[in-house]
Amino acid sequence: MQEISVFKNKNLKKTPTMPDLEEASRDFKWEDAKKEIECFEDGKMNAAWNVIDVHANGERKNKIALYYEGDDGIIEKFTFGEMSELSNRFANVLKKLGIQRQDRVFYFLSRSPELYVSFLGTLKAGAIAGTLFPAFGDDALRDRLLDSGAKVIVTEGPLKERLYKIRDSLPDLKHIIVVKNGADTSKGEFCYNTEMAAASSYFEIEKMNPEDYSFMLYTSGTTGKPKGVVHAHAGIVQQYLSAKWVLDLQDDDIFWCTADLGWVTGIVYGLLGPWACGTTQVGYGGRFKPEKWYELIQRYKITVWYTAPTAIRMLMAASDDLPKNFDLSSLRHLCSVGEPLNPEGVKWSVEVFGQPFHDTWWQTETGSILITNYPCMPIKFGSMGKLFPGIEAAIIDEAGNPLPQGAEGDLAIKPGWPSMMRTIWKNEARFKEYFRGNWYVTGDTAMIDKDGYFWYVGRADDVIKTSGERVGPFEVESALVEHDAVAEAGVIGKPDELRGNIIKAFVMLKPGFTASDDLKKEIQQFIKGKLAGHAYPREIDFVDSLPKTRSGKIMRRLLKAKELGLPIGDTSTLEND
Ligand code: WT7
């Protein structure tokens, strides 16, 4: 564990929305929180209403909702009123295409204004929105689109070809909408611009049951294909409240969440939560470059910034002089998510920005931040912080019993918080696997100290967090064995200073193939094409055999222990011991 030192921020530029955690947690009831979210008659609701229309119908109609800057440097801005009308138009486009409530509409789209608009329009139409990371290769795409049964896909010229490669294996896919000017109508594709122009800007929003599904998103576990984590409209209560209390969003803030909308952070805190607070957001569609990021903070006078430890480490590595060339004085609150935030990163940010990064912990499945450092609270360097009001958590043992304070074990949460996933799409059995007794088990191991601060220990399973992104070893192994030269493969996460972990593969070649650097490179390219750039093994070792259990399962634990020079532990189930 990290050496404990406590940091009290004496440079708060504003009174936090939550001035005192204990007071906010005392007598906290979700019923009270729900009252802050406008509903229709009979308790019906629609998250898109709370995110956009309440503001468009009120005093924020002409307030900027989004500054969008693309890779090409073109800047666009949209008010809440405009976002409301555009998403109405998209909802009408979906209705015209015959989309019904709870049908799935997916986007294989780079970050762009169209992505925000179509996501909201989908919710308005009562359908389920699903984003896809634009770097996905054909296997990654096929798994997700086939399982979700998406009926409509919104895509763009350069990505469309990847979709066509797998089009024939998607029986549920009815329509392809292409943004900008990339549509080939002779193939039956719809042109986004033409359809939007022809659609009415008036739409009678679908009034949903709070438990109806709003969005879904695929994530990885230790085994099997990626699973479709499904969220409900009711989650907006907590997404709103956590954006307000954790990101501390206030009316004059300019907020930037750096995550892609293909991941849950992008959806929940790069779209839903901050807009539910009526906050102006910046969306940047270009690549990571330290100078560019600082330039964005300066240009848009960003006040609240939500990013990830790998990005922070890359900024730290860039140069200490670089930030001095920019006016970053607008920044007043910084948050981080996705992987452990090193104390060095927090200390660095105090030096460079005058503000500490506040760690936040959550998961695709939890739908919003559950553990965090609040601006009102001293930070213990290296700790994830404390629970969100209304959340009950414990460190439990293998039988599901809570362990005493200070013990390391499985981090578990009492189910029932509003933004919790509702199911795994078409796979109730996999949903049930998350539970042990009365607890939702997160897959992380942690410790709670005497002051109620949570300390991250590691993953309890084989899931790999690389640059903050979550990769299942099974998916990488499955893709590897599809290569002609590969007989078998085992994949682990290997600790890495910059990326948290990198993906490392141990590969057994088929007879007749010879290990070489060229073959390594070829295999790496092959995986990039099938999965995505972040999911390829940066390191490959060719091996003669892989350790397996008697039932034939590759023992990743053993591969990892050997790689890291750790004790190999219990090998009683090993095949050839
Ligand atoms: C896993 C969830 C939803 C946020 C983005 C990631 C790891 C997340 C932290 C943190 C240490 C963290 C955990 C978690 N993680 N936040 N503050 N400190 N680890 O969502 O892709 O579903 O991954 O990310 O291992 O279980 P995700």
Side-chain angles (χ1 to χ4, degrees):
M1 207 182 68
Q2 313 288 348
E3 153 214 354
I4 299 177
S5 62
V6 180
F7 176 78
K8 179 102 188 88
N9 189 4
K10 299 209 175 68
N11 190 22
L12 282 183
K13 292 192 183 168
K14 267 190 173 175
T15 307
T17 50
M18 178 206 272
D20 188 287
L21 175 61
E22 252 174 59
E23 202 174 304
S25 307
R26 199 180 308 132
D27 303 327
F28 177 90
K29 287 190 192 70
W30 287 115
E31 284 70 51
D32 298 333
K34 279 180 198 154
K35 289 184 194 133
E36 289 196 46
I37 288 293
E38 202 174 291
C39 287
F40 309 115
E41 63 285 354
D42 307 328
K44 297 272 197 296
M45 66 179 298
N46 190 309
W49 179 267
N50 308 104
V51 166
I52 286 296
D53 290 356
V54 284
H55 309 303
N57 296 339
E59 285 175 1
R60 298 193 181 105
K61 179 170 194 262
N62 296 318
K63 179 177 175 177
I64 301 292
L66 178 69
Y67 288 108
Y68 178 78
E69 182 166 335
D71 216 3
D72 48 12
I74 294 174
I75 299 169
E76 295 172 79
K77 50 186 180 185
F78 302 85
T79 63
F80 280 97
E82 286 165 340
M83 267 292 162
S84 171
E85 285 195 8
L86 286 166
S87 50
N88 280 348
R89 283 178 194 268
F90 191 79
N92 278 316
V93 171
L94 290 181
K95 287 286 168 186
K96 182 183 145 193
L97 296 180
I99 288 302
Q100 310 272 323
R101 277 170 167 244
Q102 304 288 277
D103 280 346
R104 275 77 58 215
V105 176
F106 271 58
Y107 326 94
F108 186 40
L109 208 52
S110 307
R111 199 197 280 227
S112 55
E114 290 87 345
L115 182 49
Y116 296 84
V117 166
S118 48
F119 188 96
L120 289 166
T122 302
L123 264 53
K124 286 185 169 183
I128 304 171
T131 62
L132 297 162
F133 188 49
F136 278 151
D138 35 347
D139 278 8
L141 262 186
R142 188 193 298 106
D143 286 345
R144 288 159 175 83
L145 291 172
L146 188 61
D147 185 74
S148 63
K151 273 196 183 164
V152 173
I153 294 176
V154 187
T155 188
E156 63 196 31
L159 298 181
K160 187 166 88 167
E161 299 321 315
R162 243 180 281 160
L163 188 60
Y164 272 102
K165 270 174 89 178
I166 56 158
R167 173 84 176 82
D168 290 344
S169 49
L170 304 173
D172 298 310
L173 177 57
K174 300 280 179 296
H175 305 294
I176 297 176
I177 302 176
V178 186
V179 302
K180 313 271 190 259
N181 295 317
D184 182 348
T185 44
S186 71
K187 281 190 179 161
E189 294 170 5
F190 290 90
C191 168
Y192 177 94
N193 288 346
T194 312
E195 296 304 317
M196 288 288 278
S200 164
S201 62
Y202 175 79
F203 184 76
E204 185 77 36
I205 196 164
E206 288 288 336
K207 302 193 168 64
M208 311 302 287
N209 291 317
E211 290 304 302
D212 284 339
Y213 303 149
S214 54
F215 70 91
M216 63 189 287
L217 190 99
Y218 283 80
T219 195
S220 304
T222 293
T223 56
K225 300 263 189 203
K227 29 192 181 179
V229 172
V230 184
H231 286 284
H233 282 266
I236 195 67
V237 172
Q238 198 171 353
Q239 287 147 358
Y240 156 76
L241 200 60
S242 55
K244 179 172 152 184
W245 279 351
V246 180
L247 304 175
D248 194 36
L249 295 176
Q250 309 190 24
D251 224 354
D252 51 356
D253 278 317
I254 309 285
F255 174 66
W256 181 31
C257 169
T258 61
D260 192 272
L261 271 78
W263 309 119
V264 77
T265 309
I267 295 178
V268 174
Y269 296 111
L271 197 162
L272 297 174
W275 276 346
C277 296
T279 304
T280 299
Q281 301 198 61
V282 173
Y284 170 57
R287 293 187 154 268
F288 172 83
K289 239 170 90 186
E291 345 13 353
K292 184 67 201 183
W293 276 31
Y294 291 136
E295 187 191 312
L296 291 169
I297 294 170
Q298 171 176 281
R299 174 170 320 132
Y300 297 100
K301 298 192 170 46
I302 288 160
T303 59
V304 183
W305 183 25
Y306 196 22
T307 190
T310 294
I312 297 169
R313 288 190 291 265
M314 286 178 170
L315 291 175
M316 284 171 75
S319 141
D320 277 353
D321 286 337
L322 192 58
K324 294 185 190 131
N325 301 336
F326 299 88
D327 178 2
L328 308 174
S329 60
S330 56
L331 289 172
R332 73 162 186 89
H333 184 47
L334 319 177
C335 295
S336 159
V337 69
E339 42 175 335
L341 174 63
N342 338 36
E344 296 73 38
V346 185
K347 289 174 187 162
W348 174 80
S349 76
V350 174
E351 261 167 47
V352 175
F353 309 117
Q355 298 293 330
F357 271 105
H358 293 73
D359 197 10
T360 71
W361 177 94
W362 59 297
Q363 307 179 294
T364 305
E365 293 89 338
T366 69
S368 70
I369 297 163
L370 298 192
I371 300 172
T372 191
N373 290 280
Y374 302 86
C376 64
M377 191 176 95
I379 292 174
K380 289 192 188 185
F381 289 120
S383 159
M384 301 192 288
K386 292 191 178 189
L387 287 176
F388 196 78
I391 301 297
E392 196 186 328
I395 304 300
I396 61 168
D397 65 13
E398 282 178 7
N401 299 313
L403 292 168
Q405 176 255 307
E408 286 181 9
D410 293 324
L411 174 61
I413 320 279
K414 207 37 89 57
W417 66 96
S419 68
M420 182 181 176
M421 68 167 160
R422 297 310 198 261
T423 189
I424 294 295
W425 187 253
K426 289 200 306 198
N427 203 335
E428 195 62 17
R430 275 191 101 181
F431 179 63
K432 291 209 174 101
E433 284 173 13
Y434 280 95
F435 298 92
R436 193 183 302 162
N438 293 327
W439 295 100
Y440 160 82
V441 185
T442 62
D444 286 342
T445 53
M447 185 276 279
I448 311 174
D449 73 14
K450 62 178 185 359
D451 303 317
Y453 282 74
F454 284 68
W455 297 79
Y456 181 81
V457 176
R459 288 287 313 183
D461 55 19
D462 293 341
V463 165
I464 302 166
K465 292 293 291 192
T466 173
S467 300
E469 279 154 5
R470 182 163 154 183
V471 176
F474 177 79
E475 283 164 76
V476 185
E477 289 162 0
S478 310
L480 280 167
V481 296
E482 284 182 51
H483 188 279
D484 283 344
V486 178
E488 287 186 283
V491 165
I492 62 162
K494 176 177 174 186
D496 178 81
E497 284 229 338
L498 187 63
R499 294 186 168 81
N501 292 284
I502 56 160
I503 299 172
K504 168 142 197 178
F506 297 87
V507 167
M508 248 173 79
L509 291 175
K510 285 185 189 155
F513 288 91
T514 319
S516 72
D517 280 348
D518 282 347
L519 183 55
K520 251 184 220 180
K521 284 196 193 105
E522 188 194 309
I523 294 174
Q524 286 170 329
Q525 273 317 112
F526 179 77
I527 303 301
K528 278 189 197 172
K530 286 198 156 301
L531 298 174
H534 70 277
Y536 85 96
R538 280 177 191 269
E539 275 185 27
I540 296 180
D541 275 4
F542 293 114
V543 293
D544 296 333
S545 69
L546 286 165
K548 283 196 214 146
T549 61
R550 288 195 194 102
S551 58
K553 257 174 61 183
I554 292 170
M555 292 183 87
R556 300 186 189 114
R557 186 171 54 83
L558 212 69
L559 286 172
K560 191 158 183 166
K562 278 195 179 151
E563 175 70 26
L564 305 182
L566 299 171
I568 47 182
D570 178 16
T571 55
S572 56
T573 55
L574 197 62
E575 180 189 48
N576 41 3
D577 56 345

